[in-house]
Amino acid sequence: MSWRQVDCHINNLYNTTFWSLVQLGGMDAKEAENLLKGTLAADKNEVLFSKFQINYNNEPEIFKKGSVIYRDYELVEPGSHDVAKEADELAEPVQQSKTQSENDRKRRTKARVLVDHLDIIKDDFWERRPWLLSNKPGKIPKQT
């Protein structure tokens, strides 16, 4: 999934630069496309800043990272779970009792579904949310 976020970032940086050149810079679409052809991220950042005083790093996270939708359980401390081992164990599914399956279903139902705009490329996101890769629901967060 993290590759989709990388793709979102690449596309948004291109589109932000392209539309700035067209709407703020007075170029037509073909001119903007030709200017951007073969450019790297650093080149696009330089165009945005030097021509339009736009610091791409200050753009809202939703545009740079996209939207991530997931069930919200209690976060775990990084390093307290072996996410890779838990994912490997799923290769041979364990038969759960009807009671355990029902308990898991209830926990999933109680969990809030979040829409967030955060970095899922780095390991920290996955390490703090092992239920995303294990297919097992986490602990419901305590209400404050």
Side-chain angles (χ1 to χ4, degrees), residues 91-138:
E92 296 179 26
V94 177
Q95 284 294 325
Q96 288 186 319
S97 68
K98 288 183 181 180
T99 303
Q100 185 60 45
S101 294
E102 183 63 18
N103 288 341
D104 284 357
R105 187 191 67 74
K106 286 178 182 176
R107 272 195 289 174
R108 284 186 179 97
T109 302
K110 287 181 182 178
R112 292 183 313 153
V113 175
L114 292 182
V115 178
D116 217 340
H117 318 290
L118 42 83
D119 191 332
I120 66 170
I121 298 168
K122 295 184 181 123
D123 290 341
D124 183 66
F125 175 83
W126 303 101
E127 289 171 357
R128 294 186 57 93
R129 297 164 183 85
W131 60 87
L132 293 174
L133 296 176
S134 73
N135 200 30
K136 298 174 188 169

Side-chain angles (χ1 to χ4, degrees), residues 47-105:
V47 168
L48 286 171
F49 194 75
S50 64
K51 292 184 182 283
F52 309 110
Q53 291 70 51
I54 296 173
N55 182 340
Y56 184 75
N57 292 327
N58 295 337
E59 292 296 297
E61 294 296 305
I62 187 173
F63 301 121
K64 297 186 296 184
K65 305 221 184 288
S67 299
V68 181
I69 303 170
Y70 61 96
R71 292 187 196 276
D72 182 33
Y73 296 110
E74 202 171 280
L75 296 178
V76 300
E77 286 302 314
S80 66
H81 278 73
D82 187 344
V83 177
K85 181 179 175 232
E86 288 181 16
D88 285 345
E89 288 172 357
L90 286 176
E92 296 179 26
V94 177
Q95 284 294 325
Q96 288 186 319
S97 68
K98 288 183 181 180
T99 303
Q100 185 60 45
S101 294
E102 183 63 18
N103 288 341
D104 284 357
R105 187 191 67 74

